[in-house]
Amino acid sequence: MSTSKPKICLTGATGGLGSRVLHHLLHTLFLPPSALVISTQNPSSSSSASEIETRHGDFLNPSTLPSAFAGATTLLLVSYPSIAHALRVEAHKNAIDAAIRARVTHIVYTSLAFAGDSQAAVMQAHIETEEYLKRTCARNEHTHYTIIREGIYCESWSLYLGFFDPGKAVGKGERRVARVPEGADRGVAWVGRDDLGEGTARILVQKEEFVDKTVLLSGGAAVSLRGLAGMISGIMGWQGEEAVEVEELGKEKWVDAMVEMKTGKKEDAETKEFMEKWYTTYPAIAKGELDVVNPLLETLLRRKPESMEESLRRQLKDVGGTEESIGQYAK
C-alpha cells in the first residue's frame, strides 16, 4: 500500500496568475514545498523555490507530460499563454489526457469570466477546453474537475479601455480620449491578480468543496469602462476638459482607429486581424457577461478583494506605457 502524500502539480507557475498561486500556497497557506511539484516547459529558467521539485512538461510535447504529472493527485491547469485558438485547445487537451494517464484525481482549470455561451473570441478556447474536460472526467470516474472562471484582471484595464495610455503626453487643446466600439456603460467586475492567485490556491486545498463544479471568482463591485475613465481622471487630478472622455465608435471605425494608433499606419493586416478578434469582447461586455459579482472570492479570502480604485491608485503611481496590454489577451 502506498504511503506517499497527496501532491499538487502546478503548471504556469512562472506566469502572472500561476506565480501568485504558488506564492499563496507557500506563504499564506503554508504548504510544505514537498507537497508541490512544478511542471514547466523550461525547468532551467524557473525561478521557483529550489526546494520544490521542478519537472519538464511541455503542453505541445505530450510525451513529456505523464512523467511531469506523475505522483500528483491534483493538477492546476493554467491556460496556455497563446492567442492562437487551435494551438491553445490542443495544449489543454494534451494536458488533460496526460493527467488521466498519470492517474491525477482532480484537475483544476483556470478559465475566464465570460459567459459559457459567449461569442467573445478570447473565451472560445476556454469554452472548448471546459467541454472537453467535463466529457473526459465523465468517462473516467476516478478523475474530477473544478473549472475556475477567473475574473478580469484589474491590471489589464488598458486592454479593455481602448489601450488608453495615461502616460501619453497631451498637447495644448488636445483631449484625453479612450475609444471603445460599444459597451462603455456596462460593468466589469474587475479583480486583482494577486487576489485571484490566493483564491485559486484556497480552492486547490479545499477542492472537496468544488468537485465537478464551475465557479466564478470576481471582484466585489462592477465598474463600467466610463466609470473606469472617471476613476483614472480623479486619481490623476484631471478635471473638466482635462478629464478622460470615452467615445463609442462602432466596430469598423474602432478597428481602424486602433490599427492606426498601434502602428501609425492606416493599414496593417496583422494588427487589424487582432483588433477584429478583440472587438468581439465588447458586445459581450454590453450584454453584461462581465458585470456578475460573485461573493465566493470574498468568502475564500475572508476579506474584501482589493477594489478597482485601490488597484488603479497603486498602478498609476508610476505611470508608464501600455505595451504589455496585448499580452493580457492570452488570458
Side-chain angles (χ1 to χ4, degrees):
M1 179 175 169
S2 173
T3 59
S4 61
K5 295 181 179 180
K7 282 184 180 284
I8 298 172
C9 180
L10 305 176
T11 68
T14 59
L17 176 63
S19 63
R20 302 318 299 162
V21 175
L22 174 60
H23 170 85
H24 287 292
L25 286 171
L26 290 173
H27 303 296
T28 303
L29 301 176
F30 303 108
L31 266 65
S34 60
L36 304 175
V37 172
I38 291 174
S39 170
T40 179
Q41 184 176 352
N42 189 0
S44 63
S45 67
S46 176
S47 59
S48 305
S50 59
E51 61 268 30
I52 299 175
E53 183 180 359
T54 301
R55 302 171 179 171
H56 177 225
D58 183 347
F59 285 4
L60 298 181
N61 186 356
S63 64
T64 67
L65 297 175
S67 59
F69 300 163
T73 53
T74 302
L75 173 68
L76 176 65
L77 175 53
V78 175
S79 54
Y80 189 72
S82 171
I83 63 175
H85 176 102
L87 184 69
R88 204 174 200 192
V89 173
E90 177 190 357
H92 296 162
K93 287 182 175 180
N94 288 342
I96 292 166
D97 292 345
I100 298 295
R101 292 196 297 274
R103 301 185 181 277
V104 170
T105 57
H106 201 121
I107 300 171
V108 178
Y109 173 64
T110 63
S111 185
L112 194 55
F114 289 84
D117 60 352
S118 181
Q119 298 302 304
V122 71
M123 188 61 184
Q124 299 313 299
H126 289 297
I127 292 172
E128 195 168 336
T129 300
E130 289 182 12
E131 292 173 349
Y132 186 79
L133 178 58
K134 290 177 182 178
R135 289 197 309 270
T136 302
C137 289
R139 293 195 303 267
N140 295 271
E141 61 181 16
H142 299 298
T143 303
H144 298 279
Y145 70 86
T146 301
I147 294 166
I148 305 176
R149 291 196 176 155
E150 308 275 3
I152 304 303
Y153 297 159
C154 293
E155 295 83 357
S156 67
W157 64 266
S158 176
L159 176 59
Y160 294 83
L161 195 60
F163 305 91
F164 178 76
D165 182 357
K168 183 179 179 181
V170 176
K172 187 176 181 179
E174 291 183 341
R175 300 179 302 150
R176 291 184 175 89
V177 181
R179 296 178 173 87
V180 299
E182 57 187 275
D185 296 303
R186 199 66 189 258
V188 176
W190 310 94
V191 58
R193 194 156 44 193
D194 186 66
D195 284 340
L196 287 176
E198 182 177 345
T200 299
R202 291 183 180 277
I203 286 175
L204 284 169
V205 300
Q206 300 170 215
K207 60 183 182 297
E208 293 81 7
E209 300 175 30
F210 305 100
V211 172
D212 297 338
K213 291 183 178 179
T214 298
V215 299
L216 171 67
L217 297 184
S218 77
V223 178
S224 70
L225 298 177
R226 204 179 302 278
L228 183 63
M231 282 185 180
I232 293 168
S233 296
I235 292 168
M236 299 298 291
W238 297 329
Q239 300 179 359
E241 293 183 355
E242 292 184 334
V244 182
E245 300 176 33
V246 178
E247 291 184 351
E248 291 186 339
L249 300 181
K251 178 182 178 180
E252 292 184 5
K253 288 184 178 179
W254 180 80
V255 169
D256 289 344
M258 292 302 102
V259 169
E260 186 170 2
M261 183 182 77
K262 299 301 286 186
T263 69
K265 299 182 290 185
K266 293 287 187 182
E267 295 288 340
D268 183 88
E270 184 178 354
T271 305
K272 183 173 183 178
E273 180 183 9
F274 171 82
M275 293 301 174
E276 286 179 338
K277 288 180 179 178
W278 185 241
Y279 158 77
T280 63
T281 302
Y282 292 91
I285 292 174
K287 285 171 59 180
E289 290 184 22
L290 299 182
D291 72 355
V292 180
V293 174
N294 189 305
L296 176 58
L297 182 57
E298 182 175 341
T299 300
L300 289 166
L301 300 180
R302 300 174 189 173
R303 60 174 172 80
K304 292 186 179 298
E306 181 182 46
S307 71
M308 186 63 200
E309 184 169 2
E310 290 168 335
S311 179
L312 278 174
R313 288 189 182 280
R314 178 170 46 78
Q315 294 179 59
L316 294 175
K317 281 183 180 179
D318 300 306
V319 173
T322 58
E323 289 307 307
E324 293 184 0
S325 290
I326 285 183
Q328 297 289 344
Y329 177 80
K331 180 65 189 145

